[in-house]
């Protein structure tokens, strides 16, 4: 555990990629094998289910620290991280412990089934023994992910450095459904094997955003185009009469989308399709907001299945007749895919329409139609490109539509988390609306917490602290005074939002110091941005 | 019968003693001001007359130029319009004082900024009995718990030695009055040379006649990169990210501040290393100070005032909050608010 704590401390303490990779590689070389497996699991979001809920954690920590619960809560709001707050307030004799990371995690699996009393005794014992950073890491293991800027890719790179195994092969080995409690390092990483690859997807190939004018890509006829659909990127696998659906987060989501079960028998065994799961209410593509109703649910009710069914828009074919065809040119893979999908009537499988153009001007015109077609923009794929691993530049590009924007008034603020705890950086924005009495009032429409520089955040923070109207726990209402330009990717009607409108990925584009609040936009202006669907062919 | 005015009031200009017509650490220009210490949020421009501990006289003159200032020793009672004033050491930075105010049997104490630990530079805090205690609570949250400075300086010196063996220069940020000298006093000169930013060198020069500090070298335009390599540089927080710091390459940065207790604070400022070292009371010290004084009333002025005073009320004290314009250690967090000092 000391080694793991030290690793987390180093990763947390730097924003330099090389330092992170070096620290991880060092750890993957020297730590005990089973600890390595658990570290991989934790950094790829495969930690065991939370053994104690956070309400109990707060109660017990405040009790152990001899402070009232309200004071613990206030401290938490200011510190911004539960595990860090606990590590700071609970007293310790730092008698230390040399228990391994895997021993701790096995205890946490065991802990989940114990009585509250036993859980409390276990936490007290460990909080007392560990030093400050050990206490923080231990509590983080209970509460959830470490936000320390280590992507799966970065971890894989370090693992490749430590083991000498190729990065792509490691990425493949680490995908899928393995359990850190039952698998060992030999089995997971070192051993070469062909068996249990039945459920394994291929690493996704991801595109970078276009950096220059499309014309810079040369001859337009060397490229294929598709719309960039706004759903969940997924791989559908049919092997040995079994179906597996993987999301891009490398999560097995087969059970969430029972619609795809009909693919068994209709698609030949040894098929892997890369595509996008899209909501399809009333037999047309819905909004991401529609899909939200399906994402969180493990068990999908019949009513929901009927109201918001999903389809797969197929982009690419990765495995054909049991053979990995990723190195074949895109145009060839695409031909095989089209043949496979053709004639498959009555199942929720559609081709993502491939388009070809004779000029970049036509490409730009097609992009303008994206919102009406419920897409986020265009994808460019070089006709002779292989299917690569991860985010790579050169053969695939995405060209998203420009975000929608609106000028809104800052009305509420909350302290941020992590790096921004102690600063008011989470904001709520409102637009003008006429109420029943014909008076203009501000109606909340979105929250945003990114897009300003650190210096701007500090200025807004200082202003908020001086212009607070009321406090509601961690939230403050402020005098309407500042106007910000808010950008967002998509917009749809919503019954769940007070404004009647849901926006997708809202963020701050700029601080409009030149505008007074009466110059901000109205809810009506926002609603005018909701696209009206046009027929797709 | 008119209601009796409290001995000290919180007004737009600052903490005011009506009976004496004297302000304590006022933030707007007044005729007569008693000043607790030399930090910019406590000793401001524009007062006609300053009264402070003699140690602070050269500090305040260095900062504010030629002003009319009178020195009063700790424990030396002086009377203004029948009100008795006495300064006592506050342990915050060199010269920092508490103000005891006595009138018609009623005693108030205003702490300014303070800490209980003896840091080896500032004269240590003394507990003064009073009826009403006006306290800062910059770090008035149970999340703040300082380790003894001996341990912290062991870490700082080890960090320096490690950087030196890696061929890197150590850049340590601390406020130019107070923190910088505390760092200087406890750095181990056997590890290497100690360089200073001009603002810190100037302030330290003012204090050298009173305190024995290790030798330092001012960084000037002529200082060579190769000469600094592996050594220690003490700089004000505002130097972080400036062009000035580029001549230290290759360097690693650290900040010594109470805020470094939070991971977020260090990451927000993109500092390589944070040492938790403060010139203010931590949570247990605040509670200890208040308990020892035995005051009936406690007024919290700056820091986590609402939270801290609510907790004091939970404990049975008559505690409340008053708004002031003191910033505590915020100046170290927000570089913009720091008074810029010439290099």
């Amino acid at each position: 555990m000391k080694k793991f704590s030290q690793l987390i401390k180093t990763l947390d303490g730097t924003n330099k990629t090389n330092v992170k990779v070096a620290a991880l590689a060092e750890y993957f070389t020297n730590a005990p094998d089973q600890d390595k497996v658990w570290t991989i699991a934790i950094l790829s979001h495969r930690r065991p289910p939370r053994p104690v809920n956070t309400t109990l954690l707060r109660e017990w920590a405040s009790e152990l620290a001899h402070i009232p619960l309200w004071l613990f809560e206030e401290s938490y709001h200011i510190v911004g991280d539960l595990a860090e707050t606990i590590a700071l307030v609970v007293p310790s004799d730092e008698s230390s412990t040399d228990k391994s990371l895997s021993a701790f995690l096995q205890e946490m699996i065991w802990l989940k089934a114990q009585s509250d009393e036993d859980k409390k005794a276990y936490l007290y014992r460990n909080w007392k023994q560990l030093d400050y950073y050990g206490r923080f890491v231990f509590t983080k293991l209970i509460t959830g992910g470490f936000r320390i800027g280590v992507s799966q890719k970065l971890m894989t790179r370090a693992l490749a450095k430590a083991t000498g195994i190729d990065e792509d092969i490691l990425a493949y080995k680490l995908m899928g459904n393995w359990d850190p409690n039952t698998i060992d390092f030999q089995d997971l990483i070192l051993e070469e094997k062909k068996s249990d690859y039945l459920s394994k997807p291929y690493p996704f190939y991801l595109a970078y955003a276009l950096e220059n004018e499309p014309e810079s890509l040369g001859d337009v006829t060397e490229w294929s185009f598709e719309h960039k659909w706004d759903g969940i990127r997924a791989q559908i696998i049919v092997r040995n009469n079994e179906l597996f659906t993987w999301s891009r987060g490398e999560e097995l989501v087969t059970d969430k989308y029972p619609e795809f079960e009909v693919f068994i028998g209709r698609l030949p065994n040894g098929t892997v399709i890369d595509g996008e799961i899209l909501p399809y209410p009333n037999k047309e593509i819905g909004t991401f907001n529609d899909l939200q109703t399906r994402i969180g649910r493990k068990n999908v009710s019949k009513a929901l299945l009927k109201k918001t069914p999903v389809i797969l828009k197929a982009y690419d074919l990765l495995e054909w007749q049991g053979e990995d065809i990723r190195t074949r040119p895109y145009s060839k893979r695409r031909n095989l895919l089209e043949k496979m999908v053709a004639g498959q009537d009555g199942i929720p499988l559609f081709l993502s329409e491939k388009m070809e153009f004779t000029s970049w001007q036509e490409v730009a015109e097609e992009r303008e139609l994206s919102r009406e077609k419920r897409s986020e923009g265009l994808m460019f794929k070089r006709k002779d490109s292989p299917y690569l691993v991860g985010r790579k530049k050169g053969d695939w590009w995405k060209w998203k539509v420009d975000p929608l924007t609106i000028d809104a008034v800052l009305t509420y603020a909350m302290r941020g988390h992590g790096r921004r705890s102690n600063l008011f950086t989470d904001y709520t924005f409102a637009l003008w609306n006429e109420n029943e009495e014909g008076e203009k009032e501000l109606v909340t429409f979105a929250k945003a917490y990114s897009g300003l520089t650190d210096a701007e955040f500090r200025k807004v923070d200082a202003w908020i602290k001086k212009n607070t109207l009321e406090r509601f726990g961690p939230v403050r209402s402020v005098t309407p005074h500042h106007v910000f330009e808010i950008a967002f990717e998509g917009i749809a009607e919503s019954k769940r939002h007070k404004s009647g409108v849901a926006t997708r990925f809202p963020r701050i584009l700029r601080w409009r110091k030149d505008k007074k609040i009466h110059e901000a936009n109205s809810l009506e202006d926002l609603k005018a941005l909701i696209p009206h669907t046009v027929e797709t062919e | 019968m008119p209601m009796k005015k409290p001995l000290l009031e919180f007004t737009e200009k600052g903490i005011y003693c009506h009976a004496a017509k004297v302000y304590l650490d006022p933030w707007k220009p007044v005729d007569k001001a008693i000043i607790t210490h030399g930090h910019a949020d406590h000793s401001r421009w524009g007062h006609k007359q300053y009264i402070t501990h003699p140690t602070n006289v050269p500090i305040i003159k260095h900062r504010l130029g030629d002003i009319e200032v009178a020195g009063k020793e700790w424990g030396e009672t002086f009377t203004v319009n029948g009100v008795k004033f006495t300064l006592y050491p506050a342990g915050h930075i060199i010269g920092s004082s508490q103000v005891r105010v006595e009138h018609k049997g009623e005693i108030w104490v205003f702490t300014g900024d303070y800490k209980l630990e003896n840091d080896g530079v500032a004269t240590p805090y003394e507990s003064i009995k009073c009826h009403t205690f006006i306290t800062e609570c910059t770090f008035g949250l149970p999340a703040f718990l300082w380790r003894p400075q001996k341990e912290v300086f062991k870490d700082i010196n080890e960090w320096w030695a490690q950087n030196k063996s890696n061929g890197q220069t150590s850049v340590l940020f601390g406020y130019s009055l107070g923190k910088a000298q505390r760092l200087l006093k406890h750095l181990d000169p056997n590890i290497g040379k100690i360089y200073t930013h001009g603002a810190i060198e100037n302030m330290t020069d003012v204090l050298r006649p009173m305190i024995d500090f290790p030798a330092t070298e001012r960084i000037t335009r002529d200082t060579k990169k190769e000469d600094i390599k592996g050594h220690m540089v003490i700089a004000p927080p505002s130097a972080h990210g400036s062009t000035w710091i580029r001549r230290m390459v290759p360097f690693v940065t650290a900040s010594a501040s109470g805020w470094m207790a939070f991971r977020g604070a260090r990451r927000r400022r993109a500092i390589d290393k944070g040492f938790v070292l403060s010139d203010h009371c931590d949570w247990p010290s605040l509670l200890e100070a208040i308990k020892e004084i035995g005051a009936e009333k406690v007024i919290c002025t700056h820091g986590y005032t609402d939270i801290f005073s609510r907790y004091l009320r939970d404990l049975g004290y008559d505690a409340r909050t008053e708004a002031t314009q003191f910033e505590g250690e915020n100046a170290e967090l927000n570089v913009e608010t720091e008074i810029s000092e010439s290099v």
Side-chain angles (χ1 to χ4, degrees), chain B residues 192-251:
Chain B
K193 276 167 81 171
I194 301 167
Y195 287 86
T196 50
H197 182 278
I200 287 174
E201 187 69 18
N202 292 343
M203 187 53 86
T204 308
D205 278 346
V206 174
L207 302 176
R208 277 191 191 277
M210 298 178 269
I211 303 266
D212 190 22
F213 292 115
T216 51
E217 194 162 318
R218 178 195 300 263
I219 293 177
T220 65
R221 286 181 207 289
D222 303 326
T223 311
K224 299 240 173 359
K225 221 174 176 176
E226 308 78 62
D227 295 343
I228 312 177
K229 197 172 173 184
H231 297 290
M232 170 65 73
V233 176
I234 309 179
S238 55
H240 184 44
S242 69
T243 50
W244 178 84
I245 207 167
R246 284 192 209 139
R247 71 184 90 174
M248 318 301 161
V249 174
F251 64 87

Side-chain angles (χ1 to χ4, degrees), chain A residues 219-502:
Chain A
D219 186 354
V220 71
T221 61
E222 284 175 15
W223 296 83
S224 277
F225 301 86
E226 286 170 88
H227 274 279
K228 188 183 180 310
W229 302 109
D230 187 16
I232 297 169
R233 182 86 180 274
Q235 269 179 52
I236 298 252
I237 300 172
V238 178
R239 288 183 191 131
N240 205 15
N241 293 322
E242 281 192 69
L243 173 90
F244 305 95
T245 305
W246 289 94
S247 73
R248 208 197 88 190
E250 286 162 34
E251 196 192 348
L252 194 57
V253 292
T254 318
D255 298 341
K256 287 187 184 175
Y257 305 103
E259 289 97 330
F260 301 146
E261 272 165 32
V262 296
F263 294 172
I264 303 171
R266 295 289 291 269
L267 298 176
N269 280 318
T271 297
V272 178
I273 295 173
D274 177 10
E276 192 94 9
I277 298 174
L278 293 173
Y280 205 60
N282 311 318
K283 299 216 181 290
E284 59 180 31
I285 296 174
T287 63
F288 194 82
N289 209 38
D290 293 324
L291 194 58
Q292 291 281 20
T293 60
R294 293 286 302 267
I295 289 173
R297 311 276 168 86
K298 252 198 181 131
N299 300 309
V300 193
S301 69
K302 274 193 181 149
L304 186 58
L305 270 179
K306 196 161 178 223
K307 187 170 171 248
T308 315
V310 298
I311 57 158
L312 186 80
K313 273 268 198 193
Y315 292 133
D316 209 332
L317 188 64
L318 312 184
E319 188 175 308
W320 178 66
Q321 296 183 344
E323 190 194 337
D324 175 1
I325 59 165
R326 290 177 298 160
T327 52
R328 297 192 193 181
Y330 170 70
S331 54
K332 295 270 158 57
R333 299 197 305 274
R334 197 49 216 207
N335 284 341
L336 291 170
L337 177 72
E338 283 168 17
K339 260 186 224 163
M340 189 181 279
V341 176
Q344 295 284 10
D345 291 338
I347 63 171
L349 177 64
F350 296 78
L351 276 175
S352 169
E353 297 79 3
K354 189 178 79 176
M355 299 174 285
E356 290 186 4
F357 297 101
T358 52
S359 74
W360 289 109
Q361 179 58 34
E362 287 171 25
V363 178
E365 282 165 14
E366 179 64 29
R367 174 172 170 258
E368 292 304 313
L369 300 175
S370 298
R371 272 215 173 84
E372 284 80 15
K373 291 191 174 179
R374 294 262 154 95
S375 94
E376 296 181 278
L378 294 183
M379 286 293 303
F380 300 10
K381 295 177 180 175
R382 204 184 278 279
K383 287 177 182 171
D384 60 3
S385 61
Y387 191 95
L388 300 172
V389 169
R391 206 176 285 283
K392 296 274 159 58
K393 286 186 184 177
D395 286 338
W396 284 19
W397 298 101
K398 58 183 176 192
W399 195 27
K400 287 192 170 188
V401 288
D402 295 327
L404 298 162
T405 65
I406 202 146
D407 292 331
V409 181
L410 172 68
T411 48
Y412 295 90
M414 208 172 123
R415 282 198 175 89
H417 283 82
R419 206 168 81 81
R420 289 160 168 180
S421 59
N422 221 26
L423 283 183
F424 284 88
T425 59
D426 293 10
Y427 307 139
T428 301
F429 295 97
L431 295 168
W432 292 108
N433 191 38
E434 218 165 85
N435 67 14
E436 283 157 12
E437 278 91 51
E439 293 162 347
K440 275 194 160 189
E441 57 178 17
L442 284 165
V443 178
T444 293
F445 92 103
K447 285 182 179 179
Y449 48 85
S450 64
L452 293 182
T453 63
D454 282 2
E456 285 173 323
F457 270 129
R458 281 200 291 269
K459 278 191 192 136
V460 180
D461 169 78
W463 182 87
I464 287 166
K465 283 170 183 162
K466 283 182 196 142
N467 293 278
T468 299
L469 295 175
E470 274 182 285
R471 297 169 194 217
F472 317 90
V475 180
R476 293 178 177 202
S477 65
V478 299
T479 319
H481 180 76
H482 288 297
V483 177
F484 291 84
E485 188 174 351
I486 308 299
F488 45 94
E489 292 303 320
I491 180 167
E493 283 175 30
S494 164
K495 290 200 178 86
R496 292 190 300 168
H497 291 76
K498 197 177 168 188
S499 62
V501 180

